[in-house]
């Protein structure tokens, strides 16, 4: 099948807001809403203008060209009385404090003669290798801290605005300065409000030494981005060991730090072709450990965001290694408890893969079904979100391969007693492309879905679900009247058969009970009084009127429903209300990203 | 969803009463049941008649490893079955749930576990599936498969081991995917001891290469099995091969590998002589104790006692004590807390003649610092062991040096620290007597007893019997009794419940006379409390106390109150009366049962509330049984066979179908005029579930 879209999205396309992954819930109950903090509060993804070459039958939505950025703060601050002023939530890793911390203020770079500038620059870089204490005594060495801060600031300016300053002698000094300041063992996560740090809702502990670290990161980023920067010289210093240490820092609790790390690693991946395979491998190792050993890592979302941009740039046909990555790493990532923290990025990666190679659809959907949550309803909603994104880009030929297991799962979701799950599944019936796929395969899909829809149209406890179900039934009815009637008949017949089987079984039990009664020990073990037979409850057979009645109800109720769907609203809910810290909020709000979206890293051929 | 009503009943209907999934299986598998019965006489002919749908595609008889199937091998097989089921379920097939009755085609499959159980398993049956399971991604499955393979290996003869098992280990060790290589790490040590020399060399070679595997997951697995592998090696090989591996792993780039090497260090150290330890192991261990990653240092602190024992007294004095001092003042609280936990064991493991001086001079100064640590976990870790030092240091040192520390900790702002001190009072009691402490103790106890957090209150209640025993009855009556009574009317159910149990333990300690004078009157007064929750507390107390108090008190003092409460206007109180009567029934004599209990129960049996009716009927049947036994004393089993009633304070879940199908599956006692009662029951259910 020819590709309908350009295989890799064009890069000059303006960045779009990350696609909405959380379909809003419509109920007004206060229990409504998901823990999908990552979602952009935008009700519906905007349909993209379709390429003209596209045949009219397909209204697949192309996905975005950039991965959804990781949110800096997981928590939506509701404002008001919840925000309290607390002791500063800060910690810092054990920096090996320098013995001699007395810094001499050096002359400004711009005031010194040109020929001495390189030497002065190096001196300043070395001066910044001195480490200070920000935790146990924040007020110590204030004067020297200021010297370092000013020095870093000046160097950031200098490297950004001056040309030809990144000379060969600067490389080792800059890399050393970065390593000394940043490469450290991260402290144990400390969470004073709870037993264990919960990445889904707890506030992060911020890095105390941030005033300096921020500038060090900033400087290094400018250094990498400088037009004079030559990867060929830098590769002597920015090597595998360096990358490994950099990756270790991704577990930092401070989102601002991870944000810088993300951009820096993305740049390194783009500039150092020799390190690419190594970086991917090490990221895999982090993921394996996260999935199978610890289930705890703070930087999964950021790493996936980078990978999203990497996958975006993969050349076609995909290498076997990359496919393995999808099946053995990305899919198992769905299993982890804290999925909500990184789900938008993960879903983006998966969809990217499928857009590149549609033949991967079947293993992906089978994989998703394998990891489908059994008890965790919010996670189930995320799966449904992702599945819809996948269905948005699915090839009809692939759809027919997976539709049976897929719709068996959807039938279960529609019957879920958790109304948000049922509701989210039923929203699929608002998606025109999915409906066109179902319509093409109605003969196989309808018989799977019909019993679940029919049963719940009466028995589900939530009224909203009833309306949505009638809507779905109506669409089915319009799709194929004859098939719909057949399904109704068959459902009734099945039910009849089921009752008969139940009756048989009940009689069997009674026989056993009677036999047991003959035993002299019977009174000792006597069970509570026998149940009244269940089979006698409902015995009518389906009639033509039944079907007519169903159709009429479907008509009226479904109309009612279509109005309701319009008034969707986003409800976000945290798992629990914990007091929030003003300082942390402010610090995170003040952080400026180096760039909003990661662009694709084109794969070297 | 499920068309099988029997399954429904099994899953939701009756707690605890197990029924077969469906009679058809039961009836049609009489053949299997017969064989099960005559398991001992099974032979291969029988096996062929048993359905074996999945396991053995090759068929035929295999003599390779006599005995592999019996005994432990059988258990291994069962585990493999459960694992494979689990995998199937995860793969999305609804598997067991749909049940054999649902579709006839599934019948064979459901017999499969039985087939495995009753049949004699051969190596061919278990090894290949286990090998597959040892390569799956799911860690739990893999670990279980490795565990089973390890058991199987024990059943092999040396020849069979080399013919069948070693090749399997090699295959796993050279697998493409890291999962099989991690599994292999756990299998070397079981096949090494019985392998021939040539194979031994190969095994060592393979273990070596896994220790330097490219994937950190494999290196971690190898590091965690290093100690175990070292134990089965010849001493020369340990020195020449294991020690270099250990040194390498202990300086791995990943701290998660390095910290596992610390664990291996304990096992390796036990194998080597003092001189070898000094030259081969100590440099690496010193390095680990000062590792830049706190996780590695934490591991050293955590394994300190084991290391101390393995290294012997000389190295302990020269090296480990200074390292321990550093750990006690480490910059990360986690490490300090782990070290603080080891203070007592460190002291106990020191040579008896010097330990007092070592602790006094080298450890105590650091402990004094920790008492005022900034981190509460460090303080509470210390508080949980510090009392243990008093036995080591003796009376004078304890009074002079430790007592001030205890007192300081009793006043600590963190309740956990205070609790830990109070919970270990018995150690000090032995050395200096509790009187020294009681002045400071009382305010601390009172404060904890009134703490705003119910978990703190709960914790102090648990220590009450212990405290009562040590402080004596007078002190208790004077200072603590009022606290114990106040807990009975706490607004948290868990506290009231714990307070009830506490009373029972106190009565066991102080005797019935004390109970009659101090406890029972106060408890019985609550029966007239306007709050029905307090009235129910009286009933719960009676349930707990009746046995300890004996027949006389129960009949004369408690029973009248219980009977009077049968007329309570709140249904919850009434059905708890029924439950109480059932509970105290065995203690009462026939007259009381016949003359007083039975009429009241019969009246309750006609109650308008269905839960009251239910529990009354249940109690009537138990009491009737008891009366029958008293009339014809055949063999009194003591405890009547009460179905699930006594410990659960919440009403029985209704059997589906009993009520015409409306309402939730577990209707709690819901009386609309009493929403508080509903809340209370929700609380009851909540707690009893969380305790389960």
């Amino acid at each position: 099948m020819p590709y309908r879209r350009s295989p890799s999205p064009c890069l000059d396309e303006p960045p779009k807001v990350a696609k909405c992954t959380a379909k809003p819930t419509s109920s007004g109950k206060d229990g409504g809403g998901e823990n999908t903090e990552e979602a952009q509060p935008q009700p519906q993804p905007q349909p993209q203008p379709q390429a003209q070459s596209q045949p009219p039958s397909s209204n697949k939505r192309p996905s975005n060209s950039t991965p959804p950025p990781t949110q800096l703060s997981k928590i939506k601050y509701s404002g008001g009385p919840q925000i309290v002023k607390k002791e500063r939530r800060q910690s810092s890793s054990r920096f090996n404090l320098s013995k001699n911390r007395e810094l001499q203020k050096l002359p400004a770079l711009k005031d010194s003669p040109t020929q001495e500038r390189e030497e002065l620059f190096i001196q300043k870089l070395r001066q910044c290798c001195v480490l200070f204490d920000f935790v146990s005594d924040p007020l110590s060495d204030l004067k020297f801290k200021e010297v370092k801060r000013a020095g870093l600031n000046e160097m950031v300016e200098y490297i950004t605005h001056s040309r030809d300053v990144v000379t060969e002698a600067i490389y080792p000094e800059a890399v050393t300065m970065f390593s000394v300041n940043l490469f450290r063992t991260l402290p144990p996560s400390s969470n004073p409000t709870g037993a264990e740090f919960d990445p889904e809702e707890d506030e992060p502990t911020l890095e105390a030494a941030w005033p300096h670290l921020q500038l060090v990161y900033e400087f290094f980023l400018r250094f990498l981005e400088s037009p004079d920067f030559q990867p060929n010289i830098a590769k002597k210093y920015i090597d595998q060991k360096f990358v490994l240490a950099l990756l270790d820092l991704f577990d930092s609790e401070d989102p601002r730090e991870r944000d810088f790390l993300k951009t820096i690693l993305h740049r390194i991946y783009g500039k150092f072709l020799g390190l690419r395979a190594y970086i991917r491998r090490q990221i895999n190792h982090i993921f394996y450990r996260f999935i199978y050993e610890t289930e705890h890592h703070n930087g999964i979302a950021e790493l996936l965001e980078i990978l999203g941009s990497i996958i975006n740039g993969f050349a076609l046909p995909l290498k076997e290694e990359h496919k393995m990555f999808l099946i053995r790493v990305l899919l198992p990532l769905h299993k982890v408890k804290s999925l909500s923290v990184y789900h938008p990025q993960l879903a983006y990666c998966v969809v990217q893969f499928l857009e590149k190679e549609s033949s991967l659809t079947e293993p992906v959907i089978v994989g998703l079904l394998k990891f489908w949550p059994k008890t965790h309803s919010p996670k189930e909603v995320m799966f449904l979100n992702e599945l819809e994104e996948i269905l948005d880009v699915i090839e009809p030929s692939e759809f027919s391969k997976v539709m049976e297991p897929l719709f068996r799962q959807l039938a279960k979701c529609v019957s879920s007693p958790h109304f948000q799950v049922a509701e989210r599944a039923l929203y699929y019936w608002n998606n025109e492309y999915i409906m066109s796929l179902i319509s093409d395969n109605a003969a196989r899909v309808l018989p799977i879905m019909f019993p679940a829809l029919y049963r719940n149209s009466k028995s589900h406890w939530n009224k909203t679900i009833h309306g949505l179900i009638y809507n779905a039934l109506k669409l089915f009815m319009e799709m194929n009247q004859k098939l719909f009637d057949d399904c109704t008949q068959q459902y009734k017949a099945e039910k009849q058969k089921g009752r008969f089987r139940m009756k048989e079984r009940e009689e069997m039990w009674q026989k056993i009970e009677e036999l047991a009664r003959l035993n002299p020990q019977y009174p000792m073990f006597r069970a509570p009084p026998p149940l009244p037979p269940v089979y006698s409850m409902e015995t009518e057979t389906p009639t033509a009127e039944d079907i007519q009645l169903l159709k009429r109800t479907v008509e009226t109720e479904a109309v009612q429903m279509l109005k309701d769907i319009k008034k969707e609203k986003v409800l976000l809910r945290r798992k629990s209300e914990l007091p929030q810290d003003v300082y942390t909020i402010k610090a995170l709000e003040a952080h400026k990203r180096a760039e909003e979206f990661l662009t694709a890293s084109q794969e070297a051929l | 969803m499920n068309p099988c009503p029997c399954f429904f009943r099994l899953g939701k209907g009756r707690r605890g009463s197990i029924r077969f999934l469906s009679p058809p299986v039961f009836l049609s598998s009489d053949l299997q049941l017969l064989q099960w019965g005559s398991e001992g006489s099974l032979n291969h002919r029988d096996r062929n008649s048993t359905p074996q749908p999945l396991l053995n595609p090759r068929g035929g008889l295999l003599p390779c490893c006599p005995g592999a199937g019996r005994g432990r091998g059988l258990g291994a097989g069962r585990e493999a079955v459960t694992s494979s089921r689990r995998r199937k379920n995860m793969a999305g097939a609804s598997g067991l749930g749909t049940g054999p009755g649902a579709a006839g085609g599934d019948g064979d499959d459901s017999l499969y576990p039985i087939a495995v159980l009753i049949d004699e398993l051969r190596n061919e049956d278990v090894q290949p599936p286990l090998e597959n399971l040892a390569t799956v991604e799911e860690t739990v499955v893999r670990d279980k498969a490795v565990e089973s393979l390890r058991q199987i290996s024990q059943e092999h003869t040396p020849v069979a081991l080399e013919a069948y098992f070693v090749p399997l280990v090699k295959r796993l060790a050279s697998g493409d995917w890291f999962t099989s290589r991690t599994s292999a790490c756990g299998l070397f040590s079981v096949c090494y001891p019985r392998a021939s020399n040539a194979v031994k060399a190969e095994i060592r070679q393979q273990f070596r290469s896994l220790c330097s595997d490219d994937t950190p997951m494999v290196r971690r697995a190898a590091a965690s099995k290093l100690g175990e592998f070292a134990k089965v090696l010849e001493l020369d090989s340990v020195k020449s091969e294991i020690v270099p591996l250990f040194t390498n792993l202990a300086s791995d780039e990943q701290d998660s590998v390095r910290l596992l090497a610390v664990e291996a260090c304990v096992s390796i150290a036990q194998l080597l002589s003092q001189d070898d330890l000094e030259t081969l192991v100590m440099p690496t261990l010193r390095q680990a104790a000062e590792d830049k990653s706190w996780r590695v240092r934490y591991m050293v602190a955590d394994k300190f006692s084991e290391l101390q024992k393995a290294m012997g007294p000389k190295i302990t004095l020269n090296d480990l004590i200074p390292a321990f001092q550093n750990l006690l003042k480490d910059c990360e609280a986690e490490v300090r807390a782990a070290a603080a936990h080891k203070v007592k064991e460190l002291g106990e493991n020191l040579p008896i003649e010097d330990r007092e001086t070592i602790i006094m001079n080298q450890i105590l100064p650091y402990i004094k610092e920790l008492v005022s640590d900034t981190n509460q976990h460090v303080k509470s870790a210390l508080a949980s062991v510090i009392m243990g030092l008093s036995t080591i240091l003796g009376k004078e040192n304890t009074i002079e040096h430790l007592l001030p520390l205890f007192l300081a900790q009793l006043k600590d702002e963190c309740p956990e620290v205070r609790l830990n001190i109070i919970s270990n009072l018995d150690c000090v009691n032995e050395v200096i007597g509790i009187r020294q402490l009681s002045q400071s103790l009382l305010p601390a106890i009172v404060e904890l007893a009134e703490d705003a957090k119910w978990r703190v209150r709960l914790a102090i209640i648990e220590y009450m019997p212990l405290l009562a025993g040590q402080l004596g009855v007078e002190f208790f009556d004077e200072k603590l009794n009022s606290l114990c009574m106040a807990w009975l009317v706490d607004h948290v159910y868990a506290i009231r419940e714990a307070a009830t149990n506490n009373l029972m333990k106190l009565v066991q300690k102080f005797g019935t006379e004390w109970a009659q004078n101090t406890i029972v009157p106060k408890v019985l007064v609550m029966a007239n409390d306007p709050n029905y929750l307090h009235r129910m507390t009286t009933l719960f107390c009676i349930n707990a106390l009746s046995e300890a108090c004996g027949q006389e008190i129960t009949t004369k003092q408690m029973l009248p109150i219980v009977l009077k409460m049968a007329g309570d206007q709140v249904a919850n109180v009434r059905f708890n009366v029924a439950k109480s009567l059932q509970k105290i029934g065995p203690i009462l004599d026939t007259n009381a049962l016949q003359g007083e209990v039975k009429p009241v129960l019969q009246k309750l049996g006609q109650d308008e509330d269905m839960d009251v009716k239910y529990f009354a009927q249940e109690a009537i049947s138990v009491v009737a049984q008891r009366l029958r036994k008293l009339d014809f004393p055949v063999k009194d089993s003591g405890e009547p066979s009460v179905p699930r009633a006594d410990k659960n304070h919440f009403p029985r879940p209704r059997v589906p179908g009993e009520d015409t199908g409306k309402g939730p599956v577990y209707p709690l006692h819901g009386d609309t005029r009493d929403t508080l009662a509903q809340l209370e029951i929700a609380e009851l259910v909540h707690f009893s579930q969380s305790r389960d």
Side-chain angles (χ1 to χ4, degrees), chain A residues 439-452:
Chain A
S439 175
D440 295 343
N441 300 280
R444 281 162 71 198
V445 174
L446 240 65
I448 300 174
M449 284 308 297
F450 185 84

Side-chain angles (χ1 to χ4, degrees), chain A residues 97-106 123 126-133 140-148:
Chain A
L97 295 189
S98 311
K99 291 260 157 48
N100 179 12
R101 297 189 296 273
E102 289 183 20
L103 297 188
Q104 220 58 48
K105 193 168 188 297
L106 296 169
Q123 266 185 315
R126 288 192 180 150
Q127 216 175 32
C128 289
C129 291
V130 173
L131 302 180
F132 293 95
D133 172 28
S140 60
D141 303 320
L142 279 182
K143 192 178 146 205
F144 307 122
K145 280 177 183 167
E146 175 53 27
V147 172
K148 179 171 171 179

Side-chain angles (χ1 to χ4, degrees), chain A residues 16-251:
Chain A
K16 292 179 285 286
V17 178
K19 195 156 138 191
C20 172
T21 50
K23 285 287 155 58
T25 51
S26 63
S27 165
K29 289 206 161 206
D30 58 1
E34 296 313 313
N35 209 14
T36 46
E37 296 93 342
E38 315 288 335
Q40 299 286 334
Q42 222 187 333
Q44 282 286 334
Q46 250 106 71
Q48 299 299 312
Q50 302 293 313
Q52 277 144 356
S53 60
Q54 206 149 326
S57 72
S58 166
N59 19 353
K60 296 196 293 184
R61 301 181 187 127
S63 68
N64 294 306
S65 61
T66 52
T70 312
Q71 295 294 298
L72 279 173
S73 71
K74 311 279 178 221
I75 304 155
K76 293 279 178 286
Y77 297 107
S78 45
Q82 273 302 315
I83 300 185
V84 293
K85 182 102 180 146
K86 283 189 306 186
E87 207 183 323
R88 283 192 169 191
R89 294 279 316 278
Q90 287 193 337
S91 84
S92 184
S93 353
R94 182 175 67 153
F95 289 104
N96 285 318
L97 295 189
S98 311
K99 291 260 157 48
N100 179 12
R101 297 189 296 273
E102 289 183 20
L103 297 188
Q104 220 58 48
K105 193 168 188 297
L106 296 169
L109 282 161
K110 64 176 185 335
D111 298 339
S112 55
T114 322
Q115 67 275 14
E116 286 170 24
R117 280 187 185 175
E118 184 185 45
E119 181 53 35
L120 187 59
F121 192 16
I122 291 176
Q123 266 185 315
K124 288 193 175 228
L125 281 170
R126 288 192 180 150
Q127 216 175 32
C128 289
C129 291
V130 173
L131 302 180
F132 293 95
D133 172 28
F134 280 86
V135 175
S136 54
D137 183 8
L139 298 178
S140 60
D141 303 320
L142 279 182
K143 192 178 146 205
F144 307 122
K145 280 177 183 167
E146 175 53 27
V147 172
K148 179 171 171 179
R149 198 199 60 80
L152 282 165
N153 239 342
E154 189 196 0
M155 288 192 292
V156 170
E157 285 293 302
Y158 181 65
I159 204 166
T160 319
H161 297 298
S162 321
R163 284 293 75 86
D164 301 321
V165 292
V166 183
T167 54
E168 211 166 328
I170 297 298
Y171 288 91
E173 300 294 337
V175 173
T176 311
M177 194 275 280
F178 182 79
S179 312
V180 167
N181 274 285
L182 292 166
F183 293 165
R184 64 212 196 264
T185 311
L186 295 168
S189 74
S190 59
N191 183 26
T193 47
E196 200 186 343
F197 177 71
D198 179 351
E200 284 180 87
E201 67 169 3
D202 282 337
E203 275 182 338
T205 309
L206 298 183
E207 176 59 60
W210 191 245
H212 283 176
L213 291 196
Q214 180 187 8
L215 292 168
V216 174
Y217 274 118
E218 191 123 16
F219 172 79
F220 196 71
L221 191 59
R222 301 286 165 85
F223 169 67
L224 285 173
E225 285 174 344
S226 160
D228 307 333
F229 181 81
Q230 291 175 45
N232 263 339
I233 305 174
K235 74 179 178 196
K236 259 186 281 175
Y237 312 105
I238 299 182
D239 53 3
Q240 297 193 345
K241 235 181 124 194
F242 181 90
V243 168
L244 192 66
L246 196 67
L247 280 167
D248 277 343
L249 294 179
F250 270 82
D251 200 11

Side-chain angles (χ1 to χ4, degrees), chain A residues 287-524:
Chain A
F287 285 158
Y288 291 143
R289 177 136 199 258
F290 172 67
I291 301 168
Y292 297 115
E293 293 180 9
T294 60
E295 292 218 332
H296 181 88
H297 194 284
N298 292 312
I300 300 295
E302 282 83 0
L303 290 172
L304 283 169
E305 199 182 332
I306 297 170
L307 282 165
S309 79
I310 293 176
I311 295 164
N312 215 328
F314 278 161
L316 290 171
L318 289 180
K319 287 183 195 157
E320 199 52 33
E321 177 210 335
H322 300 329
K323 293 185 193 169
M324 288 309 263
F325 169 70
L326 170 68
I327 302 298
R328 298 201 130 157
V329 182
L330 289 186
L331 290 181
L333 271 174
H334 287 86
K335 189 171 74 91
V336 182
K337 202 167 55 186
S338 55
L339 176 68
S340 76
V341 176
Y342 56 83
H343 184 255
Q345 288 75 24
L346 179 60
Y348 177 84
C349 289
V350 171
V351 173
Q352 284 304 304
F353 261 112
L354 300 187
E355 285 206 283
K356 295 249 164 195
E357 187 156 332
S358 61
S359 69
L360 290 168
T361 311
E362 189 180 1
V364 165
I365 290 192
V366 169
L368 277 185
L369 293 176
K370 175 179 159 193
F371 292 115
W372 202 274
K374 299 273 189 290
T375 54
H376 191 319
S377 308
K379 213 168 146 185
E380 210 170 349
V381 174
M382 283 181 249
F383 271 60
L384 286 164
N385 285 331
E386 182 173 350
L387 194 59
E388 185 167 2
E389 284 184 52
I390 292 173
L391 290 176
D392 275 339
V393 300
I394 200 169
E395 298 287 343
S397 58
E398 292 296 318
F399 178 78
S400 58
K401 285 187 208 160
V402 292
M403 62 189 172
E404 288 190 13
L406 183 66
F407 278 89
R408 267 196 290 277
Q409 179 59 53
L410 283 178
K412 278 187 211 158
C413 294
V414 165
S415 318
S416 170
H418 194 302
F419 81 97
Q420 286 172 351
V421 174
E423 183 184 54
R424 185 64 192 83
L426 287 162
Y427 276 136
Y428 281 24
W429 274 257
N430 293 341
N431 184 319
E432 284 177 25
Y433 183 58
I434 296 180
M435 285 320 287
S436 75
L437 291 168
I438 294 180
S439 175
D440 295 343
N441 300 280
R444 281 162 71 198
V445 174
L446 240 65
I448 300 174
M449 284 308 297
F450 185 84
L453 289 174
Y454 184 83
R455 203 176 328 108
N456 287 293
S457 70
K458 288 179 183 160
S459 63
H460 203 281
W461 63 271
N462 184 295
K463 286 279 178 290
T464 316
I465 300 300
H466 289 195
L468 287 170
I469 283 187
Y470 283 123
N471 181 40
L473 283 171
K474 178 166 177 269
L475 288 171
F476 274 172
M477 207 159 72
E478 289 163 358
M479 208 175 271
N480 188 335
Q481 187 73 252
K482 168 85 178 54
L483 186 61
F484 188 81
D485 292 348
D486 290 348
C487 286
T488 319
Q489 292 287 2
Q490 203 188 337
Y491 175 72
K492 296 272 181 181
E494 275 299 319
K495 220 173 158 194
Q496 190 69 18
K497 234 193 273 171
R499 273 196 291 268
F500 181 69
R501 268 206 303 271
M502 257 198 257
K503 184 179 161 190
E504 244 183 2
R505 202 165 290 141
E506 201 57 44
E507 285 168 358
M508 201 83 88
W509 274 117
Q510 271 169 5
K511 254 183 229 164
I512 292 179
E513 199 124 5
E514 273 161 33
L515 281 174
R517 233 180 282 260
L518 300 176
N519 192 310
Q521 283 183 314
Y522 177 77
M524 301 268 290

Side-chain angles (χ1 to χ4, degrees), chain A residues 94 185-188 244 281 285 288-289 292-293 328 335 370 502 505-506 508-509 512-513 531-532, chain B residues 4-6 23 90 101 137-139 177 214-217 220 253 256 292 294 297 331-332 334 655:
Chain A
R94 182 175 67 153
T185 311
L186 295 168
L244 192 66
R281 198 164 62 240
H285 291 162
Y288 291 143
R289 177 136 199 258
Y292 297 115
E293 293 180 9
R328 298 201 130 157
K335 189 171 74 91
K370 175 179 159 193
M502 257 198 257
R505 202 165 290 141
E506 201 57 44
M508 201 83 88
W509 274 117
I512 292 179
E513 199 124 5
L531 304 172
Chain B
C4 167
C6 307
M90 286 191 302
E137 262 117 1
E138 209 54 61
T139 324
W177 193 236
D214 183 43
T215 331
M217 275 72 63
R220 277 195 285 275
E253 59 188 16
S256 52
K292 66 180 194 297
W294 63 270
R297 300 196 303 273
C331 63
E332 293 297 355
E334 262 75 0
V655 177

Side-chain angles (χ1 to χ4, degrees), chain B residues 220-286:
Chain B
R220 277 195 285 275
S224 66
K225 300 294 178 192
L226 183 67
E228 177 191 293
F229 190 55
K231 281 186 189 158
V232 298
L233 252 59
E234 299 78 10
L235 188 58
D236 283 346
S237 309
V238 172
K239 281 192 218 169
S240 63
E241 297 189 36
I242 294 291
V243 169
L245 289 178
F246 164 69
T247 316
N248 273 340
L249 289 169
S251 51
D252 195 275
E253 59 188 16
Q254 303 259 346
D255 59 0
S256 52
V257 179
R258 295 202 297 274
L259 66 89
L260 290 167
V262 174
E263 243 182 317
C265 181
V266 176
S267 310
I268 296 172
Q270 287 165 348
L271 304 169
L272 300 175
S273 69
Q274 282 290 313
D275 291 347
D276 288 336
L277 278 179
E278 187 54 58
T279 52
L280 298 175
V281 178
M282 278 318 290
T284 313
L285 185 61
R286 273 184 214 119

